Amino acid sequence: MAEVDGAVQPVLIPERRWYDALLSGEGDDPIERWNCKVFQDLNSPTASTDCWTWTAALSEDGYGEFSLGGQKARAHHILWALEHGSPPAYVYGPNGWEKVHLGHLCHDRDEACAGGSSCMHRRCVNPEHLALQSQSENLRAGLAGEHERRKTHCPSGHDYAVDGFKYTDPAGKTRRYCRPCKSGQRAAQFVGSRKALEVAA
């Protein structure tokens, strides 16, 4: 059991070599190594929000990385794990089993942040800024949906306003469809699932 989305719920916690190494204290002091890679002063790019900024290696999606026990760990998991234990991977809640994220509350509070891999909050390792969130809550709190809606072009660079359509999938969710990218590839699976198909504005 763990507190996820503000409520105590059943969780699944996998074995992690980095967590075992953190508790064992073998080799160089991991916390000393970890501290050397963090800004916790007024020179930090996020000092005004009390974030502790990770200054070392980053993953492709912009989170700090820290090697421990022969395994890469998310840098913001380290201090949080010392107090709360190894983070769960899944939670059983109202929506069944969902992935669990160690969400950044500093990002959730920042309405001006567009998110994405360049988001400075992803580098924050202050344990006071973290909370366990189900995947659905993490997406909602992080304004990921709004970030997607603000996009004007598909990943290939096509203008949605010129080349795109909105459609409703079989589950009832409205999605955007890039005609040049999908023509002849996925068009067949959309047949009968479009409701009020319209050019994206």
Side-chain angles (χ1 to χ4, degrees), residues 19-193:
Y19 182 67
D20 294 338
L22 181 65
L23 296 184
S24 71
E26 295 178 2
D28 296 336
D29 182 357
I31 299 306
E32 185 176 332
R33 286 197 297 115
W34 186 92
N35 275 328
C36 291
K37 304 173 188 296
V38 180
F39 264 132
Q40 299 181 41
D41 56 32
L42 294 178
N43 293 320
S44 169
T46 52
S48 62
T49 61
D50 297 322
C51 289
W52 298 354
T53 306
W54 186 253
T55 62
L58 298 176
S59 63
E60 289 184 2
D61 48 1
Y63 293 96
E65 287 188 333
F66 185 70
S67 294
L68 190 58
Q71 185 179 35
K72 286 183 179 178
R74 290 279 169 99
H76 63 290
H77 287 194
I78 301 299
L79 287 192
W80 192 92
L82 280 178
E83 182 173 347
H84 303 284
S86 184
Y90 292 92
V91 59
Y92 189 81
N95 301 319
W97 286 106
E98 281 190 83
K99 285 187 177 180
V100 175
H101 298 270
L102 191 54
H104 285 85
L105 303 179
C106 45
H107 172 72
D108 299 348
R109 293 189 292 261
D110 188 352
E111 295 182 3
C113 183
S117 58
S118 61
C119 169
M120 289 299 293
H121 299 101
R122 291 190 176 188
R123 304 182 193 183
C124 177
V125 293
N126 184 344
E128 296 297 320
H129 289 194
L130 305 173
L132 290 174
Q133 298 173 331
S134 63
Q135 181 157 310
S136 54
E137 173 62 17
N138 184 261
L139 291 172
R140 186 202 64 76
L143 303 175
E146 183 59 33
H147 174 64
E148 291 298 318
R149 286 189 287 274
R150 285 198 294 257
K151 290 183 178 178
T152 59
H153 292 74
C154 79
S156 299
H158 300 118
D159 190 333
Y160 279 127
V162 176
D163 301 310
F165 287 100
K166 288 181 182 177
Y167 73 96
T168 304
D169 69 13
K173 293 185 178 181
T174 301
R175 302 182 183 276
R176 283 188 294 191
Y177 170 89
C178 178
R179 186 167 39 193
C181 286
K182 304 299 184 185
S183 178
Q185 297 174 30
R186 295 178 61 200
Q189 75 185 71
F190 297 135
V191 173
S193 67

Side-chain angles (χ1 to χ4, degrees), residues 11-20 71 85-90 100:
V11 294
L12 292 176
I13 303 175
E15 292 184 6
R16 294 183 170 103
R17 293 196 310 275
W18 69 260
Y19 182 67
D20 294 338
Q71 185 179 35
S86 184
Y90 292 92
V100 175

